[in-house]
Amino acid sequence: MVIAKVWVLKKHFDGFPKPSDFDLKKIELPNLKDGGEQKLLLESVFLSVDPYMRPYSRRDMKEGDIMIGTQVARVVESKNPAFAVEAFVIGGRGWRTHFISDGKDLQLLPSNWPESLPKSLALGPVGMPGLTAYFGLLEVCKMKPGETVLVNAAAGAVGSVVGQLAKIGGCKVVGCAGSDDKVAYLKKIGLDEAFNYKTVKSLDEALHKASPDGYDCFFDNVGGEFASVAMNHMKKYGRIAVCGAISQYNDSVPQKGPYVQIPMIFKELKMEGFIVSRWNNRREEGLQALLKWVVEGKVKFHEQVTEGFENMPMAFIGMLKGENLGKAIVKV
Ligand code: NDP
């Protein structure tokens, strides 16, 4: 019999999440059976902490539910021939050390995953965040070589892939992030211009200085005031991919304008929100492209690894505060 540790949402977040909003519990898992749904015992090896957990917890969860999330897990016991013991899978089973599955909700890591590549990257550049960058740039921004792309939260999981894919696509790239170390990293991975949005005197001036002609594409991870200012720097017929709004997720009182209509009309902009799962039918294409670029060293990566399942809430809160460079993950 296996006892799993799980983190539950004790209390709905009010403003910024706090450690006391979470509870660590133990649950007893049933033994595997030949028939039915209890075919696999899995052990989480890496767990992801992501910004979406903040707004989705309010929308989809009730107090007492196990926190939502994805993991890279190892098959410990198997009564399903499609999953060998010791195989690694991606699961979406939330903040748990162990879980039982019939396999239907699991995806094996791509079969050509090199042994030398960390499996945790399946939660980052070769996983959901990488796919978000890939489809957001190709299908929503529809970037073309020679164009100028702006990305914020640029040193994070999605943003760092956006910047590098836009370079691969032949664009000039401007990235913004919240610390000087992150800005140095953005230059190291090849962005043309990068600045610290927290220390510039004027965001308006910094965006103008980085690209005096303006921006064709804006991959927006942040929303709020940043997006309102950036909107005025778009070129005519510019495209804005509304990927995330992390500057608004912890607001108790919704932020107010300025509103988007006037710059959108005068510049004839296109602004489109998207959720990466729209392209689930092209997941394999995206993962193979990202895996190739990572293996070739064309997409570099950094992971912010927090050790220990008991530190999941701190890793999540730290990521929301901007403590992560690259993908924030927890090693169990
Ligand atoms: P990151 O790895 O980028 O981590 C979050 C980062 O957001 C922090 O490191 C911090 O970086 C930045 N941040 C936090 N608060 C603020 C703020 N008030 N203003 C500006 N920046 C802030 O996370 P992800 O790459 O996983 O996600 C990035 C965005 O993409 C999120 O908004 C997320 O919800 C969205 N997303 C959307 C998906 C979709 O399908 N639409 C899928 C995946 C992610 P810094 O130090 O630079 O401030």
Side-chain angles (χ1 to χ4, degrees), residues 50-52 128 132 153 156-159 177-178 182 197 221-222 243-247 249 274-276 319-320 322 324 326:
D50 298 88
Y52 74 82
M128 184 279 280
T132 305
V158 175
K182 290 187 183 186
Y197 72 93
N221 288 316
V222 168
C243 174
I246 195 161
S247 69
Y249 294 163
F274 72 98
I275 296 178
V276 61
M319 177 277 301
L320 290 175
N324 60 307

Short mmCIF file of all heavy atoms in Angstrom, two decimals, residues 50-52 128 132 153 156-159 177-178 182 197 221-222 243-247 249 274-276 319-320 322 324 326, ligand 1:
data_model
loop_
_atom_site.label_atom_id
_atom_site.label_comp_id
_atom_site.label_asym_id
_atom_site.label_seq_id
_atom_site.Cartn_x
_atom_site.Cartn_y
_atom_site.Cartn_z
N ASP A 50 2.82 26.91 -12.30
CA ASP A 50 2.50 27.78 -13.43
C ASP A 50 1.56 28.90 -13.01
O ASP A 50 0.68 28.68 -12.16
CB ASP A 50 1.79 26.98 -14.53
CG ASP A 50 2.64 25.87 -15.09
OD1 ASP A 50 2.60 24.76 -14.53
OD2 ASP A 50 3.35 26.10 -16.08
N PRO A 51 1.66 30.05 -13.71
CA PRO A 51 0.75 31.16 -13.38
C PRO A 51 -0.72 30.80 -13.52
O PRO A 51 -1.55 31.29 -12.75
CB PRO A 51 1.14 32.24 -14.41
CG PRO A 51 2.54 31.93 -14.81
CD PRO A 51 2.67 30.44 -14.73
N TYR A 52 -1.08 29.93 -14.49
CA TYR A 52 -2.51 29.66 -14.72
C TYR A 52 -3.20 29.10 -13.47
O TYR A 52 -4.41 29.19 -13.30
CB TYR A 52 -2.72 28.72 -15.92
CG TYR A 52 -2.37 27.26 -15.65
CD1 TYR A 52 -3.28 26.41 -15.00
CD2 TYR A 52 -1.14 26.72 -16.03
CE1 TYR A 52 -2.96 25.09 -14.75
CE2 TYR A 52 -0.82 25.40 -15.78
CZ TYR A 52 -1.72 24.58 -15.14
OH TYR A 52 -1.40 23.28 -14.88
N MET A 128 4.18 22.24 -22.45
CA MET A 128 3.11 23.23 -22.62
C MET A 128 3.62 24.67 -22.83
O MET A 128 3.17 25.35 -23.75
CB MET A 128 2.16 23.10 -21.42
CG MET A 128 0.95 23.98 -21.46
SD MET A 128 1.28 25.65 -20.93
CE MET A 128 1.28 25.48 -19.15
N THR A 132 3.06 26.89 -26.21
CA THR A 132 2.37 28.18 -26.14
C THR A 132 3.13 29.22 -26.97
O THR A 132 2.54 29.99 -27.74
CB THR A 132 2.26 28.64 -24.67
OG1 THR A 132 1.63 27.61 -23.91
CG2 THR A 132 1.47 29.92 -24.53
N ALA A 153 7.59 39.42 -19.71
CA ALA A 153 7.93 38.21 -18.92
C ALA A 153 8.86 37.35 -19.78
O ALA A 153 8.73 36.12 -19.86
CB ALA A 153 6.68 37.44 -18.48
N GLY A 156 10.91 34.20 -18.64
CA GLY A 156 10.15 33.12 -18.03
C GLY A 156 10.03 31.92 -18.96
O GLY A 156 10.67 31.85 -20.01
N ALA A 157 9.17 30.98 -18.55
CA ALA A 157 9.04 29.72 -19.28
C ALA A 157 8.56 29.94 -20.72
O ALA A 157 9.18 29.46 -21.67
CB ALA A 157 8.07 28.81 -18.53
N VAL A 158 7.48 30.67 -20.88
CA VAL A 158 6.96 30.93 -22.22
C VAL A 158 7.82 31.98 -22.92
O VAL A 158 8.27 31.79 -24.05
CB VAL A 158 5.48 31.41 -22.15
CG1 VAL A 158 4.97 31.79 -23.53
CG2 VAL A 158 4.58 30.33 -21.53
N GLY A 159 8.05 33.08 -22.22
CA GLY A 159 8.73 34.23 -22.84
C GLY A 159 10.11 33.90 -23.38
O GLY A 159 10.49 34.37 -24.46
N ALA A 177 11.99 42.19 -18.77
CA ALA A 177 11.91 41.31 -17.60
C ALA A 177 12.17 42.15 -16.36
O ALA A 177 12.58 43.31 -16.45
CB ALA A 177 12.91 40.18 -17.73
N GLY A 178 11.96 41.50 -15.19
CA GLY A 178 11.92 42.25 -13.94
C GLY A 178 13.18 42.27 -13.10
O GLY A 178 13.11 42.62 -11.92
N LYS A 182 17.99 38.90 -15.20
CA LYS A 182 17.14 38.37 -16.27
C LYS A 182 17.45 39.08 -17.59
O LYS A 182 17.50 38.45 -18.65
CB LYS A 182 15.66 38.54 -15.91
CG LYS A 182 15.20 37.64 -14.78
CD LYS A 182 13.70 37.72 -14.57
CE LYS A 182 13.27 36.86 -13.38
NZ LYS A 182 11.83 36.77 -13.20
N TYR A 197 11.88 46.29 -16.85
CA TYR A 197 10.69 47.16 -16.82
C TYR A 197 10.48 47.78 -15.43
O TYR A 197 9.77 48.77 -15.29
CB TYR A 197 9.44 46.40 -17.28
CG TYR A 197 8.93 45.38 -16.29
CD1 TYR A 197 7.96 45.69 -15.36
CD2 TYR A 197 9.45 44.08 -16.27
CE1 TYR A 197 7.51 44.74 -14.43
CE2 TYR A 197 9.00 43.14 -15.36
CZ TYR A 197 8.05 43.47 -14.45
OH TYR A 197 7.61 42.55 -13.52
N ASN A 221 2.39 38.53 -22.22
CA ASN A 221 2.24 37.59 -21.10
C ASN A 221 1.76 38.29 -19.84
O ASN A 221 1.52 37.63 -18.83
CB ASN A 221 3.61 36.96 -20.77
CG ASN A 221 4.05 35.97 -21.82
OD1 ASN A 221 3.25 35.16 -22.27
ND2 ASN A 221 5.32 36.03 -22.22
N VAL A 222 1.68 39.62 -19.88
CA VAL A 222 1.56 40.40 -18.64
C VAL A 222 0.24 41.17 -18.54
O VAL A 222 -0.35 41.24 -17.46
CB VAL A 222 2.78 41.37 -18.55
CG1 VAL A 222 2.58 42.41 -17.47
CG2 VAL A 222 4.06 40.58 -18.29
N CYS A 243 -1.57 36.26 -24.50
CA CYS A 243 -1.26 34.94 -23.95
C CYS A 243 -1.60 34.87 -22.48
O CYS A 243 -2.18 33.90 -22.00
CB CYS A 243 0.22 34.66 -24.19
SG CYS A 243 0.78 33.15 -23.42
N GLY A 244 -1.22 35.89 -21.73
CA GLY A 244 -1.45 35.88 -20.28
C GLY A 244 -1.60 37.29 -19.74
O GLY A 244 -1.33 38.27 -20.44
N ALA A 245 -2.02 37.38 -18.49
CA ALA A 245 -2.23 38.69 -17.87
C ALA A 245 -1.76 38.61 -16.42
O ALA A 245 -2.50 38.92 -15.49
CB ALA A 245 -3.70 39.09 -17.97
N ILE A 246 -0.52 38.18 -16.25
CA ILE A 246 -0.05 37.89 -14.88
C ILE A 246 -0.08 39.12 -13.98
O ILE A 246 -0.23 38.98 -12.76
CB ILE A 246 1.34 37.21 -14.89
CG1 ILE A 246 1.61 36.59 -13.51
CG2 ILE A 246 2.45 38.15 -15.33
CD1 ILE A 246 2.69 35.55 -13.49
N SER A 247 -0.02 40.31 -14.55
CA SER A 247 -0.06 41.51 -13.70
C SER A 247 -1.45 41.70 -13.09
O SER A 247 -1.62 42.56 -12.22
CB SER A 247 0.35 42.75 -14.48
OG SER A 247 -0.64 43.06 -15.44
N TYR A 249 -3.57 38.79 -12.22
CA TYR A 249 -4.11 37.57 -11.60
C TYR A 249 -4.37 37.71 -10.10
O TYR A 249 -5.25 37.05 -9.56
CB TYR A 249 -3.18 36.38 -11.82
CG TYR A 249 -3.01 35.92 -13.25
CD1 TYR A 249 -1.95 35.10 -13.61
CD2 TYR A 249 -3.91 36.30 -14.24
CE1 TYR A 249 -1.78 34.67 -14.92
CE2 TYR A 249 -3.74 35.87 -15.55
CZ TYR A 249 -2.68 35.06 -15.88
OH TYR A 249 -2.51 34.63 -17.17
N PHE A 274 -5.69 33.62 -26.76
CA PHE A 274 -5.61 32.19 -27.15
C PHE A 274 -5.25 31.33 -25.95
O PHE A 274 -4.69 31.79 -24.97
CB PHE A 274 -4.60 31.98 -28.28
CG PHE A 274 -3.16 32.12 -27.84
CD1 PHE A 274 -2.40 30.98 -27.54
CD2 PHE A 274 -2.56 33.36 -27.71
CE1 PHE A 274 -1.09 31.10 -27.13
CE2 PHE A 274 -1.24 33.48 -27.29
CZ PHE A 274 -0.49 32.36 -27.00
N ILE A 275 -5.61 30.06 -26.06
CA ILE A 275 -5.21 29.04 -25.08
C ILE A 275 -4.53 27.93 -25.87
O ILE A 275 -5.06 27.50 -26.92
CB ILE A 275 -6.42 28.54 -24.27
CG1 ILE A 275 -6.99 29.71 -23.46
CG2 ILE A 275 -6.02 27.40 -23.34
CD1 ILE A 275 -8.22 29.39 -22.65
N VAL A 276 -3.39 27.51 -25.39
CA VAL A 276 -2.54 26.61 -26.18
C VAL A 276 -3.27 25.33 -26.59
O VAL A 276 -2.99 24.75 -27.64
CB VAL A 276 -1.23 26.33 -25.41
CG1 VAL A 276 -1.48 25.65 -24.08
CG2 VAL A 276 -0.25 25.51 -26.25
N MET A 319 7.42 31.97 -7.95
CA MET A 319 7.26 32.18 -9.40
C MET A 319 6.35 33.38 -9.66
O MET A 319 6.64 34.22 -10.51
CB MET A 319 6.71 30.89 -10.02
CG MET A 319 6.42 30.92 -11.50
SD MET A 319 4.82 31.61 -11.88
CE MET A 319 3.72 30.53 -11.00
N LEU A 320 5.26 33.48 -8.90
CA LEU A 320 4.35 34.63 -9.09
C LEU A 320 5.05 35.95 -8.75
O LEU A 320 4.72 37.00 -9.29
CB LEU A 320 3.09 34.47 -8.24
CG LEU A 320 2.11 33.37 -8.66
CD1 LEU A 320 0.98 33.25 -7.65
CD2 LEU A 320 1.54 33.61 -10.06
N GLY A 322 8.16 36.47 -9.37
CA GLY A 322 9.23 36.73 -10.35
C GLY A 322 10.58 36.19 -9.93
O GLY A 322 11.62 36.60 -10.47
N ASN A 324 11.75 33.31 -10.50
CA ASN A 324 12.26 32.29 -11.42
C ASN A 324 12.92 32.88 -12.65
O ASN A 324 12.46 33.87 -13.21
CB ASN A 324 11.10 31.39 -11.89
CG ASN A 324 10.02 32.17 -12.62
OD1 ASN A 324 9.50 33.17 -12.11
ND2 ASN A 324 9.67 31.74 -13.81
N GLY A 326 13.63 31.36 -16.29
CA GLY A 326 13.21 30.18 -17.05
C GLY A 326 12.07 29.48 -16.33
O GLY A 326 11.35 30.07 -15.53
P1 NDP B 1 6.89 32.67 -16.12
O1 NDP B 1 7.91 31.60 -16.10
O2 NDP B 1 7.08 33.81 -17.07
O3 NDP B 1 6.75 33.20 -14.64
C1 NDP B 1 5.95 34.28 -14.35
C2 NDP B 1 6.73 35.61 -14.52
O4 NDP B 1 5.81 36.66 -14.64
C3 NDP B 1 7.58 35.97 -13.33
O5 NDP B 1 8.83 35.34 -13.35
C4 NDP B 1 7.68 37.48 -13.46
O6 NDP B 1 8.82 37.81 -14.23
C5 NDP B 1 6.44 37.85 -14.26
N1 NDP B 1 5.53 38.67 -13.46
C6 NDP B 1 4.97 38.37 -12.28
N2 NDP B 1 4.19 39.38 -11.85
C7 NDP B 1 4.28 40.34 -12.79
C8 NDP B 1 3.71 41.64 -12.92
N3 NDP B 1 2.89 42.16 -11.98
N4 NDP B 1 4.04 42.36 -14.01
C9 NDP B 1 4.86 41.86 -14.94
N5 NDP B 1 5.42 40.64 -14.87
C10 NDP B 1 5.13 39.90 -13.81
O7 NDP B 1 5.47 32.03 -16.39
P2 NDP B 1 4.97 31.33 -17.72
O8 NDP B 1 5.98 31.53 -18.78
O9 NDP B 1 4.55 29.96 -17.38
O10 NDP B 1 3.68 32.16 -18.09
C11 NDP B 1 3.80 33.46 -18.65
C12 NDP B 1 2.40 33.97 -19.01
O11 NDP B 1 1.85 33.14 -20.01
C13 NDP B 1 1.42 33.95 -17.85
O12 NDP B 1 0.61 35.10 -17.92
C14 NDP B 1 0.61 32.70 -18.11
O13 NDP B 1 -0.67 32.77 -17.53
C15 NDP B 1 0.56 32.70 -19.62
N6 NDP B 1 0.31 31.39 -20.22
C16 NDP B 1 -0.71 31.30 -21.11
C17 NDP B 1 -0.97 30.14 -21.78
C18 NDP B 1 -2.07 30.10 -22.77
O14 NDP B 1 -2.39 29.03 -23.28
N7 NDP B 1 -2.68 31.23 -23.08
C19 NDP B 1 -0.17 28.93 -21.52
C20 NDP B 1 0.95 29.14 -20.61
C21 NDP B 1 1.15 30.34 -19.98
P3 NDP B 1 9.52 39.27 -14.14
O15 NDP B 1 10.64 39.12 -13.16
O16 NDP B 1 9.97 39.51 -15.53
O17 NDP B 1 8.48 40.24 -13.66
#
